Amino acid sequence: MTPPPPQPPPSGPNPAADSAADPRPGPGPLVVLFGATAGALGQDLGSDETDLILLVWQVVEPRSRQVGTLHKSLVRAEAAALSPQCREASGLSADSLARAEPLDKVLQQFSQLVSGDVALLGGGPYMLCTDGQQLLRQVLHPEASRKNLALPDTFFSFYDLRREFHVQHPSTRPARDLTVATMAQDLGLETDATEDDFGVWEVKTMVAVILHLLDGPSGQLFSKPEVVKQKYETGPCKADVVDSETVVRARGLPWQSSDQDVARFFTGLNIARGGVALCLNAQGRRNGEALIRFVDSEQRDLALQRHKHHMGVRYIEVYKATGEEFVKIAGGTSLEVARFLSREDQVILRLRGLPFSAGPADVLGFLGPECPVTGGADGLLFVRHPDGRPTGDAFALFACEELAQAALRRHKGTLGKRYIELFRSTAAEVQQVLNRYASSPLLPTLTAPLLPIPFPLAAGTGRDCVRLRGLPYTATIEDILSFLGEAAADIRPHGVHMVLNQQGRPSGDAFIQMTSAERALAAAQRCHKKAMKERYVEVVPCSTEEMSHVLMGGTLGRSGMSPPPCKLPCLSPPTYATFQATPTLIPTETAALYPSSALLPAARVSAAPTPVAYYPGPATQLYMNYTAYYPSPPVSPTTVGYLTTPPAALASAPTSVLSQPGALVRMQGVPYTAGMKDLLSIFQAYQLAPDDYTSLMPVGDPPRTVLQAPKEWVCL
């Protein structure tokens, strides 16, 4: 005989039947939860960093369609001041909140009452259900983190009623635009309009919406809860393309902040694996910024609401960023870094200030056996310059947080004669440091000039040049041409001169040679105080003579023009003739552009027929203010090439000064409070001309000799 066909399951729920035998058991008990803070409400809940003041909840059993007792509890806030919006909506006062229990006590009562109600309705594990994600992600988790409270596991997963409603009614409106009132209106539910108890109406309406959704045709409701990550997952960034809708930039971080500190600031929001990239400055140190990548755009939007929230006593600015910026900071192509970071779930520490001679054995001995490095020497990564020279930085891997904390206790411990700094680090920081050292040196070097060599400046007093002051340090020649606009067509060939400081960095000044004085004046009138990259730039006419003075090391200000030190008559001491000239350090590619006669010979001639002063070569004097380098023979400093003085310059120098055995010394940067004794103490062991140090010499006075060749050394 053929067995009879199976009978279809009975339609509709059977509250008396056991839940395990129910053919469509549905979700477990739901705890409908509503909360409010002392500040903003609705979509902006938690955006103003105010404390929680109210919790209202009720348990719903979806399988039996039964509901538990409705509970309401006030929470005592540290700052009892209520916003006008909250005071009007809730009807609460500071006095009523002052008598309430603190948050930790309220959470204990919540767990006890929910467990009792769930047991009365049949038991089983329960799940929270909220109107939106702000209450848990933006209020409860951040406040618990600030107060060092440990939330129960039930607060790390929940159902978002707006999303569940949107699953069954996708054509109404986006989930983020839904509210309790609009959901009830779309379903045609009748609500109690006389209920004026704040929070109670919201919970009762949410329960009615849930019961109506459970009676609908969709079987996908309450099946995929929202999850709040309990721990930030470290690791390298393995994505080549990052969605720009998931990245933010945080500014104003304390310099000692780690990726875990940043993740704690964004607690409640889900950060992608390895999604915290701390940014470094030009010197390889943290600059107080970080790029954070979240798992989706909704988490990013919630993160933007934490703009100017506090980390300790500092407020943090949060802005939008792009995926390209994140990949640039967190990504890397070094195989050495990839091997180092291949060990997952490791804590990374950065060691800074190591002796250049330190090796793996020295670092392991410094850390000690109580905090072993993962893999021994293989768990260390030394940072080196492209030529192999050590930088004094290294990274170390540790298997767990306890070992890393033990290693951090060695902060500022001594290795050899140096103290070592230890910091928590990230995979993104490892990538940045290695990439920065591998691509270019931290300090910029002298670049080849753009002008043909030699390129003498024609002296003249006609104001056919313009001076740009206050340029952004990142400004390039292309930026200047775009800034000048139509006036750029009147610039002479090779007429843009950027002024750099003694470290080779932009000083914010530039000189432009125009075709005529009229064109220079027109450009100054058109572009003066025009903005370039959010900075206004001063554009003033000047002469070629004034330009050459500044480019040669002089100063030009409202008080007048100070000549460059190289224009002051100076003599090389007689002993300089015995020194051997060092090879010029102008780059090889640049030196190939110069005629051989323009560079100094390999050795100086000991018997010079005339006194010789030294000027930097034309390759650099148009581009760098070398005030600190005058006067100097070719042996010092060794950072630039020097050319001998043109005969015309020596012929124009005062013979009375050149015939004296001593030399004039110019002192810059003297403190305003310095007296005569302070100045004389600098020249210990040198004999001063007795008649020439009775008074200070202003900069504008005629040059006089104040030093003579030492007759004998005196120990003071």
Side-chain angles (χ1 to χ4, degrees):
M1 295 179 58
T2 306
Q7 297 296 324
S11 59
N14 185 7
D18 185 78
S19 60
D22 194 341
R24 193 177 60 178
L30 299 177
V31 181
V32 181
L33 182 64
F34 175 83
T37 65
L41 303 175
Q43 297 283 9
D44 297 328
L45 184 69
S47 61
D48 50 7
E49 209 177 6
T50 53
D51 288 347
L52 185 73
I53 61 171
L54 175 68
L55 281 180
V56 184
W57 69 91
Q58 188 174 21
V59 178
V60 177
E61 172 52 59
R63 291 165 292 190
S64 63
R65 307 300 195 263
Q66 295 181 357
V67 297
T69 306
L70 190 144
H71 301 275
K72 180 178 180 179
S73 178
L74 297 180
V75 184
R76 186 171 63 201
E78 294 181 356
L82 300 178
S83 67
Q85 179 186 9
C86 178
R87 188 181 300 109
E88 180 181 359
S90 64
L92 299 174
S93 63
D95 295 336
S96 59
L97 292 178
R99 297 188 296 270
E101 295 289 344
L103 179 60
D104 54 343
K105 298 293 185 181
V106 172
L107 293 179
Q108 292 179 6
Q109 296 175 3
F110 171 83
S111 299
Q112 295 173 359
L113 293 175
V114 167
S115 300
D117 290 344
V118 170
L120 292 177
L121 296 177
Y126 60 88
M127 189 78 68
L128 301 180
C129 181
T130 62
D131 173 34
Q133 306 199 19
Q134 283 83 358
L135 177 59
L136 289 179
R137 295 191 184 275
Q138 298 286 71
V139 178
L140 271 172
H141 282 278
E143 184 172 348
S145 177
R146 292 195 303 268
K147 298 179 178 180
N148 293 321
L149 301 179
L151 290 175
D153 293 340
T154 54
F155 286 91
F156 288 89
S157 59
F158 65 100
Y159 290 115
D160 183 354
L161 183 57
R162 299 183 187 182
R163 289 191 174 181
E164 302 297 332
F165 181 89
H166 191 265
V167 169
Q168 195 172 93
H169 302 275
S171 60
T172 54
R173 65 194 75 189
R176 65 180 61 187
D177 296 336
L178 292 171
T179 63
V180 175
T182 58
M183 287 187 289
Q185 181 180 359
D186 293 340
L187 296 177
L189 299 178
E190 295 183 0
T191 58
D192 187 2
T194 61
E195 181 64 64
D196 58 353
D197 194 357
F198 182 63
V200 174
W201 180 88
E202 285 80 0
V203 171
K204 289 183 177 179
T205 306
M206 291 170 63
V207 170
V209 171
I210 292 174
L211 294 177
H212 191 281
L213 293 178
L214 291 173
D215 292 335
S218 177
Q220 302 297 324
L221 294 177
F222 303 104
S223 59
K224 294 181 61 177
E226 304 290 328
V227 177
V228 180
K229 289 187 176 181
Q230 299 192 34
K231 183 180 179 182
Y232 166 66
E233 298 176 340
T234 60
C237 174
K238 299 181 180 180
D240 296 331
V241 179
V242 175
D243 186 4
S244 295
E245 296 299 319
T246 62
V247 182
V248 301
R249 178 186 295 271
R251 298 179 58 185
L253 300 170
W255 64 269
Q256 70 274 23
S257 299
S258 66
D259 56 344
Q260 298 291 343
D261 298 321
V262 176
R264 184 176 182 181
F265 174 79
F266 290 103
T267 185
L269 306 180
N270 294 343
I271 301 176
R273 177 181 176 85
V276 178
L278 301 174
C279 302
L280 307 180
N281 59 16
Q283 286 73 40
R285 298 176 181 267
R286 297 173 185 171
N287 62 1
E289 295 188 11
L291 293 172
I292 302 94
R293 177 190 178 196
F294 295 91
V295 295
D296 54 41
S297 60
E298 186 174 6
Q299 305 290 311
R300 194 280 303 265
D301 294 339
L302 293 175
L304 292 174
Q305 293 185 358
R306 301 198 185 183
H307 179 60
K308 291 193 174 181
H309 283 203
H310 288 76
M311 179 184 289
V313 297
R314 303 188 59 164
Y315 71 86
I316 309 301
E317 300 174 354
V318 183
Y319 303 100
K320 292 181 180 180
T322 64
E324 291 78 5
E325 293 174 333
F326 181 83
V327 173
K328 182 178 179 181
I329 296 298
T333 57
S334 173
L335 295 178
E336 184 180 16
V337 176
R339 287 194 297 268
F340 178 76
L341 299 176
S342 61
R343 298 183 177 91
E344 298 183 354
D345 299 329
Q346 299 288 315
V347 182
I348 306 174
L349 295 186
R350 181 179 180 182
L351 293 83
R352 196 167 63 195
L354 294 171
F356 293 150
S357 59
D362 301 315
V363 176
L364 294 177
F366 167 76
L367 295 173
E370 63 276 6
C371 44
V373 177
T374 303
D378 294 335
L380 296 175
L381 177 64
F382 288 87
V383 184
R384 302 183 182 275
H385 289 286
D387 57 2
R389 292 179 295 112
T391 63
D393 280 20
F395 295 93
L397 295 176
F398 295 90
C400 61
E401 185 67 29
E402 290 73 16
L403 295 179
Q405 291 295 336
L408 288 173
R409 299 189 189 101
R410 298 286 295 162
H411 179 58
K412 290 193 175 182
T414 303
L415 176 58
K417 296 183 179 180
R418 305 193 62 175
Y419 72 88
I420 311 302
E421 298 174 318
L422 282 88
F423 307 97
R424 290 190 62 103
S425 186
T426 66
E429 185 173 6
V430 176
Q431 300 278 15
Q432 288 182 81
V433 173
L434 269 294
N435 291 345
R436 190 178 302 274
Y437 277 103
S439 59
S440 62
L442 293 180
L443 294 179
T445 57
L446 300 181
T447 58
L450 300 178
L451 302 182
I453 301 301
F455 187 82
L457 288 176
T461 57
R463 306 181 72 80
D464 58 349
C465 302
V466 291
R467 182 183 186 183
L468 278 65
R469 299 182 59 183
L471 293 170
Y473 294 140
T474 58
T476 62
I477 294 180
E478 290 76 11
D479 297 328
I480 293 177
L481 297 179
S482 177
F483 170 78
L484 293 175
E486 297 178 358
D490 301 323
I491 300 176
R492 292 184 181 180
H494 307 293
V496 181
H497 308 300
M498 306 290 291
V499 181
L500 308 182
N501 58 20
Q502 288 87 349
Q503 288 74 36
R505 298 177 181 173
S507 64
D509 284 16
F511 286 91
I512 313 294
Q513 290 179 284
M514 309 298 289
T515 54
S516 64
E518 292 77 13
R519 297 295 184 181
L521 179 60
Q525 292 175 347
R526 185 182 302 111
C527 302
H528 183 56
K529 291 193 175 181
K530 182 180 175 182
M532 178 190 293
K533 296 182 179 180
E534 300 182 355
R535 296 191 61 173
Y536 76 87
V537 180
E538 299 178 0
V539 184
V540 294
C542 67
S543 64
T544 307
E545 180 182 6
E546 293 171 337
M547 178 182 68
S548 61
H549 272 70
V550 175
L551 294 177
M552 289 288 290
T555 58
L556 177 63
R558 294 182 177 87
S559 59
M561 183 171 57
S562 176
C566 62
K567 293 294 184 181
L568 299 175
C570 56
L571 295 176
S572 300
T575 55
Y576 284 169
T578 61
F579 284 24
Q580 296 295 324
T582 58
T584 178
L585 292 186
I586 297 179
T588 306
E589 315 83 52
T590 307
L593 303 175
Y594 308 157
S596 58
S597 59
L599 301 177
L600 285 176
R604 292 190 54 203
V605 180
S606 58
T610 57
V612 179
Y614 291 92
Y615 295 72
T620 54
Q621 63 181 262
L622 296 181
Y623 296 95
M624 182 169 287
N625 188 330
Y626 279 102
T627 303
Y629 295 152
Y630 302 105
S632 178
V635 297
S636 176
T638 60
T639 54
V640 293
Y642 283 80
L643 305 182
T644 54
T645 305
L650 288 176
S652 62
T655 56
S656 59
V657 176
L658 293 177
S659 61
Q660 296 178 4
L664 177 67
V665 173
R666 180 182 181 184
M667 302 173 63
Q668 291 185 332
V670 177
Y672 296 120
T673 57
M676 183 65 66
K677 293 183 179 180
D678 300 319
L679 298 178
L680 296 180
S681 64
I682 300 176
F683 302 105
Q684 297 180 10
Y686 285 87
Q687 182 177 358
L688 303 173
D691 298 331
D692 287 338
Y693 59 85
T694 56
S695 62
L696 294 176
M697 295 173 54
V699 174
D701 285 359
R704 293 180 293 167
T705 302
V706 296
L707 291 183
Q708 293 181 349
K711 294 185 178 180
E712 62 178 335
W713 293 93
V714 181
C715 297
L716 300 179

